Amino acid sequence: MKIMIHGGFFSESNQSEETKRLKQDALGEIVQKSHHFLLSNTALDTVVYAVQLLEDHPLFNAGIGSQLQKDGKIRMSAALMDGRSKKFSGVLNIESIQNPIHVARALQMVDDRVLGGEGAINFAKNIGKETVNVEIPERRKEYENRVKSAGIGTVGCVVLDNKGHLAAATSTGGKGFELPGRISDSGTVAGNYANDFCAISCTGVGEDIVSGALAAKIVTRVTDGLSIKDSFAKSFQELKEFDGFAGAIGVDALGNMYYQESHPKIVYASFDGVNLSVFS
Ligand code: ASP
């Protein structure tokens, strides 16, 4: 059983060392709580559980605490992939829903599994999700100061469960100050992907992650026999051609956990029941 989570990039932000420490503490706590959950739950349910905790935490740019777009509204994206069933589900540009990952979870059960905008909001309401204000004063202040990418801090989780199944989940408030209608990688197979061989969650500049087809590419390389380390290395090498800004966490079917970033530093934590690693 293996679990790894991320809280997005830190170094590009203007946040203090104190915030960084708080983020690390939160990641450490959440990864251990999620590992405990994993003891009696599947990889799929565990990635949802971990991402929900991260969405509920105002320090991270997902759910509560999401960044505002150019028009002052918050639109969030989230995706979930079950490595076992090979089902990808996601929401793009959903508004006023505290846990977009819950909506992605519910979409696993229906035919139309990727919804955007109004359709995503209506689906969330139909499954009983309340609409809430996910804006916090800090993000409004950053917006008013026009602080672009104040805290690129998407969240994600990859898990290998005790039956050997893999899953990945990612959730974001976006890159901040983007044009309404912009599509985040986090709701696509470029930012979040899993199968029987590997599970990947990305963070960084969505346009670069989509251009590099990052999550799907790393997973494909592992599937075709490359080690997780070499798959990351080759895929990140390809990002260099256009100075792509991205980070990713991953776990393979053998339980190898790995992460890489194009520019330091992604904040992440992993826990295997004994060893807790919290880095940035
Ligand atoms: N990848 C996200 C996006 O571009 C932002 C992030 O990871 O912080 O929407």
Side-chain angles (χ1 to χ4, degrees):
M1 274 187 333
K2 293 288 165 67
I3 179 162
M4 198 170 191
I5 62 176
H6 73 76
F9 269 97
F10 190 81
S11 64
E12 289 293 296
S13 78
N14 62 353
Q15 294 172 355
S16 64
E17 279 301 307
E18 170 67 3
T19 308
K20 178 175 169 177
R21 201 185 51 73
L22 290 172
K23 276 193 174 182
Q24 289 174 325
D25 289 351
L27 286 176
E29 241 174 66
I30 290 172
V31 79
Q32 290 181 81
K33 229 175 153 182
S34 304
H35 185 273
H36 185 73
F37 183 87
L38 176 59
L39 295 174
S40 48
N41 288 281
T42 63
L44 186 68
D45 287 335
T46 305
V47 291
V48 172
Y49 178 80
V51 166
Q52 174 216 303
L53 294 179
L54 291 159
E55 287 177 335
D56 289 343
H57 202 301
L59 270 182
F60 300 102
N61 174 30
I64 298 288
S66 288
Q67 297 182 134
L68 281 63
Q69 299 194 331
K70 216 165 203 158
D71 61 354
K73 283 194 177 175
I74 292 175
R75 297 179 185 84
M76 300 161 287
S77 299
L80 176 64
M81 181 137 185
D82 182 4
R84 189 182 180 197
S85 67
K86 318 291 174 302
K87 281 185 182 173
F88 179 95
S89 60
V91 287
L92 291 149
N93 291 326
I94 194 166
E95 291 174 49
S96 308
I97 298 293
Q98 179 154 343
N99 296 110
I101 200 66
H102 285 170
V103 188
R105 178 71 179 94
L107 284 167
Q108 285 275 320
M109 321 302 286
V110 301
D111 288 342
D112 301 332
R113 291 200 297 271
V114 184
L115 294 180
E118 280 293 302
I121 299 164
N122 290 338
F123 179 84
K125 285 182 186 161
N126 286 340
I127 59 164
K129 291 284 167 199
E130 278 172 30
T131 52
V132 293
N133 181 12
V134 294
E135 183 183 309
I136 61 169
E138 289 87 335
R139 297 291 101 80
R140 171 60 61 179
K141 212 168 137 205
E142 286 160 7
Y143 170 78
E144 276 160 8
N145 294 336
R146 296 278 199 276
V147 183
K148 189 168 178 268
S149 299
I152 299 181
T154 292
V155 302
C157 179
V158 291
V159 162
L160 171 70
D161 69 20
N162 58 12
K163 296 215 165 63
H165 298 133
L166 293 156
T170 307
S171 183
T172 189
K175 64 179 178 179
F177 217 65
E178 59 269 73
L179 279 178
R182 182 247 183 193
I183 298 292
S184 166
D185 65 289
S186 303
T188 75
V189 298
N192 188 83
Y193 203 72
N195 64 9
D196 290 322
F197 296 86
C198 186
I200 299 287
S201 169
C202 299
T203 180
V205 175
E207 286 65 15
D208 295 350
I209 295 168
V210 169
S211 298
L214 195 57
K217 197 186 268 182
I218 296 172
V219 170
T220 303
R221 287 190 161 133
V222 174
T223 306
D224 289 347
L226 221 57
S227 71
I228 190 167
K229 185 167 181 272
D230 291 346
S231 300
F232 266 80
K234 197 162 194 319
S235 307
F236 273 82
Q237 186 58 36
E238 288 167 1
L239 282 182
K240 282 193 183 151
E241 288 169 30
F242 51 94
D243 194 28
F245 185 111
I249 58 170
V251 60
D252 68 15
L254 304 172
N256 297 306
M257 293 188 279
Y258 203 73
Y259 84 98
Q260 193 165 334
E261 62 224 340
S262 61
H263 300 67
K265 285 283 190 181
I266 183 172
V267 274
Y268 80 96
S270 64
F271 188 59
D272 59 10
V274 183
N275 300 305
L276 170 69
S277 309
V278 185
F279 289 101
S280 79

